[in-house]
């Protein structure tokens, strides 16, 4: 097990945050702020609940994710969608070598995303984090066998504390390492960034709010620079806001949200128009998450997005 120690200093707007630790084991990379967890990235395969199809086993995602007070703001393996895994990404409706491929819906057994290797673990005093390689794999037989790596991904995750909230950068580059394009027809969800909130967030105790003033009732299929989701934790009310970088494909990207009371978000780069990742080419995706305790204001989130957009 490897442990790296970090100490924040008050500089350039960064709050004093005490001592951060980054610990790597055979199965996980964990970042803590003092004794309080921040996030866990899963290198090893995580089993689904016993009642679920074993095909839902997966690596290469983040859960749990915490606010500065320690409240958990992600959920995993809900019985309505066993493939929802806290914070993750995967393309849904794709075509490669003339065959359909779905890296998201694991029970279909046409594809999946998996952890490959650790590139680096950072002990930077301003931004602790990790860089890992992941693989988007297609099964040639369409039944979970004969795998071929279609996309090789470099995922970078960093955390800093700014004005009392965590800002988590989730950046990844996808390179098509095959000789054929990955065709991505327009579809209502997939790709980008996906987030599942705690499973006890519901229509009474939670809601969405977007940069355009939309909520649970009317945010689905709309575009937004940022979207906030809030609800209860063991440490009180908390919020998760996702900022979409303006240089992302089709930014500001369209949203998939739910109006049934459960809280799920997907920033979708292909909701309106087709796209493809040509053979040998690389595409990049950038998102920032703001993890806060208590209330947030639209003014604060707009300021954070503006600063992010100008970086």
């Amino acid at each position: 097990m490897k442990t790296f120690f970090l100490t924040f200093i008050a500089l350039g707007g960064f709050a004093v945050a005490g001592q951060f630790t980054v610990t790597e084991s055979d199965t996980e990379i964990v970042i803590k702020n003092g004794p309080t967890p921040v996030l866990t990235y899963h290198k090893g395969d995580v089993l689904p609940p016993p009642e679920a199809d074993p095909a839902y086993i997966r690596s290469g995602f983040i859960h749990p994710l915490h606010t500065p007070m320690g409240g958990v703001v992600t959920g995993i393996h809900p019985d309505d969608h066993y493939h929802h895994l806290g914070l993750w990404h995967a393309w849904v409706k794709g075509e490669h070598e003339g065959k359909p491929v779905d890296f998201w819906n694991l029970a279909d057994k046409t594809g999946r995303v998996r952890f490959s290797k650790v590139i680096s673990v950072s002990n930077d005093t301003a931004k602790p984090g990790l860089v890992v390689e992941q693989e988007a794999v297609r099964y040639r037989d369409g039944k979970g066998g004969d795998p071929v790596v279609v996309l090789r991904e470099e995922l970078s995750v960093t955390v800093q504390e700014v004005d009392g909230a965590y800002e988590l950068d989730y950046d990844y580059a996808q390179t098509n390492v095959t000789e054929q394009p990955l065709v991505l027809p327009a579809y209502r969800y997939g790709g980008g960034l996906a987030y599942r909130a705690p499973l006890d967030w519901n229509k009474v105790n939670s809601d969405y709010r977007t940069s355009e003033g939309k909520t649970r009732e009317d945010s689905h299929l709309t575009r937004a620079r940022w979207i906030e989701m809030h609800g209860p934790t063991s440490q009180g009310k908390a919020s998760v806001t996702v900022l979409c970088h303006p240089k992302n494909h089709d930014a500001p990207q369209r949203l998939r949200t739910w109006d049934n009371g459960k809280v799920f978000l997907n920033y979708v780069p292909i909701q309106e128009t087709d796209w493809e990742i040509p053979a040998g080419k690389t595409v990049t995706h950038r998102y920032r998450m703001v993890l806060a305790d208590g209330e947030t204001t639209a003014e604060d989130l707009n300021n954070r997005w503006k600063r992010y957009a100008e970086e």
Side-chain angles (χ1 to χ4, degrees):
M1 179 179 291
K2 307 171 187 176
T3 303
F4 306 85
F5 296 93
L6 325 162
T7 302
F8 272 33
I9 59 175
L11 178 65
F14 297 110
V16 176
Q19 190 175 67
F20 278 71
T21 60
V22 184
T23 302
E24 180 185 356
S25 70
D26 290 341
T27 59
E28 298 175 338
I29 300 174
V30 180
I31 299 178
K32 291 184 178 181
N33 183 1
T36 306
V38 179
L39 65 86
T40 298
Y41 173 83
H42 292 273
K43 298 162 54 179
D45 284 333
V46 176
L47 294 170
E51 67 274 14
D53 187 329
Y56 288 114
I57 189 172
R58 196 188 190 278
S59 61
F61 63 94
I62 292 173
H63 172 79
L65 191 60
H66 302 257
T67 67
M69 290 292 291
V72 174
V73 288
T74 49
I76 187 174
H77 291 147
D79 57 13
D80 57 350
H81 290 79
Y82 286 120
H83 51 273
H84 282 190
L85 298 159
L87 179 63
W88 80 105
H89 65 267
W91 295 109
V92 176
K93 188 177 181 181
E95 182 181 302
H96 185 254
E97 295 182 340
K99 300 288 183 64
V101 59
D102 184 343
F103 303 106
W104 176 299
N105 293 290
L106 302 176
D108 290 348
K109 299 180 181 179
T110 63
R112 68 171 50 246
V113 175
R114 65 190 184 190
F115 166 79
S116 175
K117 66 180 182 181
V118 174
I119 297 174
S120 65
V121 176
S122 172
N123 61 354
D124 187 288
T125 57
K127 282 190 176 182
L130 57 97
V131 182
V132 295
E133 181 181 280
Q134 299 184 160
E135 297 171 334
V137 176
R138 177 173 72 86
Y139 296 114
R140 285 194 177 96
D141 66 359
K143 301 177 182 178
D146 193 16
V148 56
V149 177
V150 178
L151 301 176
R152 201 169 301 281
E153 304 180 340
E154 184 171 299
L155 169 65
S156 170
V157 178
T158 59
V159 180
Q160 60 182 333
E161 187 171 352
V162 181
D163 296 332
Y166 289 144
E167 292 188 351
L168 183 154
D169 284 355
Y170 189 97
D171 304 336
Y172 64 101
Q174 296 179 310
T175 301
N176 184 342
V177 294
T178 73
E179 296 181 355
Q180 297 295 324
L182 175 63
V183 178
L184 300 167
Y187 198 58
R188 66 182 184 275
Y189 70 106
L193 177 143
Y195 164 77
R196 185 67 190 252
L199 307 188
D200 62 348
W201 288 17
N202 57 52
K203 207 162 191 175
V204 174
N205 65 19
S206 69
D207 206 346
Y208 302 83
R209 175 177 56 164
T210 78
S211 58
E212 311 311 303
K214 306 294 185 181
T215 67
R216 171 179 278 119
E217 301 302 323
D218 56 1
S219 57
H220 181 52
L221 303 181
T222 66
R223 295 184 183 273
R225 300 184 306 278
W226 53 261
I227 177 168
E228 181 222 45
M229 297 144 287
H230 56 264
T233 75
S234 63
Q235 302 301 313
K237 185 175 181 178
S239 69
V240 175
T241 305
V242 183
L243 318 181
C244 179
H245 198 278
K247 291 187 177 180
N248 283 342
H249 177 73
D250 200 40
Q253 292 170 347
R254 290 185 180 271
L255 305 170
R256 177 167 172 79
T257 58
W258 288 352
D259 62 3
N260 62 3
K262 300 171 184 178
V263 177
F264 162 75
L265 164 72
N266 186 198
Y267 256 121
V268 189
I270 55 167
Q271 200 172 80
E272 187 173 10
T273 57
D274 300 345
W275 198 28
E276 71 171 38
I277 304 177
K281 299 299 182 181
T282 300
V283 299
T284 59
H285 314 261
R286 294 183 62 191
Y287 302 92
R288 174 169 289 173
M289 303 185 73
V290 180
L291 313 173
D293 295 288
E295 301 285 344
T296 59
T297 67
E299 180 182 10
D300 176 63
L301 295 174
N302 281 328
N303 288 337
R304 290 179 188 268
W305 185 88
K306 182 179 179 181
R307 172 167 48 82
Y308 179 50
E310 292 174 349
E311 290 179 1

